[in-house]
Amino acid sequence: MATIRTAFICAVIAVAAVSVVSCAPTKASLDKTLAGGIIWPGPPEKPRIRYLWTLRSLVSEKENQILRFVAGDVDYDIQDPKNSDGLIYPQSVFVDSNNVMYVADPGASRVSVVNLETMDTFNITSAKGTPLMAPIGVVVSSDGRIYVSDADMKRVCIFNQKGKLIKFFDGKFARPTGMAIDARAGAIYVVDTWGHTIYVYDLDGNRRGSIGKRGEGPGDLNYPIHVAVDKAGLVYVTDTLNFKVKIFKPSGEPVFQFGALGDTFDTFDKIKGIAVDPEGHIFVSDAAQNMVKIFDKKGKLLLFFGKKGSFYGRFNAPAGIFIDDENKIYVADTLNDRVQVFQYIGDKQL
């Protein structure tokens, strides 16, 4: 359908002698409205977090204008979500060392790949002929292999840089969701939410072991969703229905936990995403409270940003978080159908 659409657009452009856009590969579009203009906390406090930009559209503004001219609606192809021109229900985001962003979008049943330098984009929509259904997690190895967990397929897939399936992970899953990669240890951690377990794999998709089982103890899990790894190799898990962040050694030995159910800033309601920045701060998204909370290594709340809404810097059910080496914070703003990016600008003492 996408090929037919592209050909149709090109034909109309040729007939109408319109030269606004060529039939080049699709380019995404960043919304930099208010870039740098929103900060947390506000005066008179020293700012620590600055809003940068939003990715919602996978088609440039010029091409959007042509689509409106041709079809009257940018998303006229929405009957097939895979052909949507924008994000629909993003759950996870990952950015590799080449500044390429990968967005797992179960609403569109695809993983969108966007080169943030050139804005060229393509979508991974199937695994060797089998359509993706609900991709939740995505990570990428240093050699460019793309790992995708699909909750409805109950599989984890390995793709090459062009989106061609290499293989599926070994083992069965109840519902694979969030993932994290530890390149130095050659390990990938896969959250199995309904299995109440974190599975550990090597980079070739061979199962090494597991962390946790269902329960309420320090080493137990209850519907975990996302996972992160810090530079020391410690594993951080959002233990969603235990309302805690739990930290493990790679061996699975529990190290520390914090959190409790509540509606105050230092408690949790429905935590989803988690990430650790280069300085060791722990970032947690709370989908019910519509904010990202920042804690120190002892579980002390340092700062929070965001609130419910669709305006820039606000959230509606935020999920996965990714933090790069430059302290840029990428948040999958799920029900706002976008990824928002922020910059941590504070010093080491939040």
Side-chain angles (χ1 to χ4, degrees):
M1 186 65 178
T3 302
I4 295 173
R5 182 184 69 176
T6 301
F8 176 59
I9 293 170
C10 292
V12 172
I13 291 171
V15 171
V18 178
S19 59
V20 178
V21 65
S22 69
C23 299
T26 302
K27 290 183 179 288
S29 179
L30 300 184
D31 183 350
K32 295 186 177 181
T33 306
L34 295 183
I38 307 174
I39 58 173
W40 294 267
E45 300 294 328
K46 178 180 178 179
R48 306 287 184 172
I49 302 291
R50 176 182 291 128
Y51 166 79
L52 293 182
W53 49 261
T54 291
L55 173 71
R56 178 183 286 108
S57 175
L58 299 176
V59 178
S60 69
E61 182 58 31
K62 288 184 178 180
E63 190 170 344
N64 269 334
Q65 292 171 0
I66 293 298
L67 289 174
R68 291 190 186 99
F69 171 73
V70 171
D73 184 356
V74 176
D75 264 338
Y76 73 93
D77 216 5
I78 196 65
Q79 293 89 343
D80 183 354
K82 288 184 174 65
N83 291 331
S84 169
D85 296 313
L87 302 176
I88 295 181
Y89 196 72
Q91 283 285 335
S92 294
V93 58
F94 185 95
V95 180
D96 68 16
S97 59
N98 295 315
N99 207 23
V100 177
M101 182 167 67
Y102 305 78
V103 183
D105 187 351
S109 300
R110 69 191 181 196
V111 172
S112 295
V113 182
V114 180
N115 186 317
L116 295 175
E117 301 293 335
T118 65
M119 301 312 299
D120 290 329
T121 183
F122 72 93
N123 296 313
I124 301 172
T125 60
S126 65
K128 197 172 280 186
T130 301
L132 295 182
M133 298 173 66
I136 301 293
V138 60
V139 296
V140 181
S141 63
S142 59
D143 63 1
R145 285 182 289 178
I146 305 165
Y147 302 80
V148 177
S149 61
D150 192 303
D152 286 356
M153 287 176 62
K154 300 182 180 181
R155 280 178 159 177
V156 178
C157 313
I158 307 176
F159 298 93
N160 66 15
Q161 290 175 305
K162 295 182 179 180
K164 181 179 179 181
L165 180 72
I166 298 173
K167 64 177 292 188
F168 296 109
F169 272 32
D170 294 335
K172 294 182 179 181
F173 299 94
R175 187 173 178 82
T177 51
M179 294 196 296
I181 188 168
D182 186 343
R184 289 159 299 185
I188 292 182
Y189 295 87
V190 181
V191 179
D192 191 346
T193 297
W194 289 357
H196 314 283
T197 300
I198 311 297
Y199 288 109
V200 188
Y201 283 83
D202 65 22
L203 299 185
D204 292 322
N206 303 305
R207 188 173 286 183
R208 287 180 175 176
S210 63
I211 298 173
K213 58 178 176 57
R214 190 172 194 183
E216 299 179 356
D220 298 330
L221 300 169
N222 190 19
Y223 292 97
I225 295 181
H226 283 278
V227 60
V229 180
D230 71 10
K231 60 185 179 181
L234 293 177
V235 182
Y236 298 71
V237 182
T238 48
D239 190 9
T240 304
L241 290 190
N242 278 328
F243 308 100
K244 297 182 184 299
V245 168
K246 291 187 175 177
I247 305 169
F248 299 87
K249 292 182 179 180
S251 63
E253 179 184 348
V255 175
F256 182 64
Q257 64 179 20
F258 65 89
L261 174 62
D263 57 5
T264 57
F265 296 131
D266 60 346
T267 57
F268 297 135
D269 193 338
K270 191 176 183 180
I271 54 173
K272 285 195 172 183
I274 189 164
V276 183
D277 73 10
E279 297 173 6
H281 304 123
I282 305 166
F283 290 66
V284 181
S285 65
D286 193 314
Q289 296 187 22
N290 292 293
M291 62 179 60
V292 174
K293 303 179 180 184
I294 309 173
F295 300 85
D296 67 14
K297 295 178 181 179
K298 296 181 179 179
K300 176 184 176 182
L301 179 68
L302 302 173
L303 180 66
F304 59 87
F305 62 96
K307 61 180 179 180
K308 186 171 185 178
S310 58
F311 193 67
Y312 302 103
R314 299 186 181 185
F315 299 113
N316 192 355
I321 305 175
F322 180 84
I323 301 176
D324 67 17
D325 291 337
E326 297 179 348
N327 279 319
K328 289 189 180 72
I329 307 154
Y330 301 77
V331 182
D333 188 8
T334 302
L335 294 186
N336 279 327
D337 306 323
R338 63 189 181 185
V339 170
Q340 295 199 82
V341 182
F342 306 82
Q343 179 73 59
Y344 169 52
I345 56 177
D347 53 32
K348 292 186 178 181
Q349 300 298 318
L350 262 175

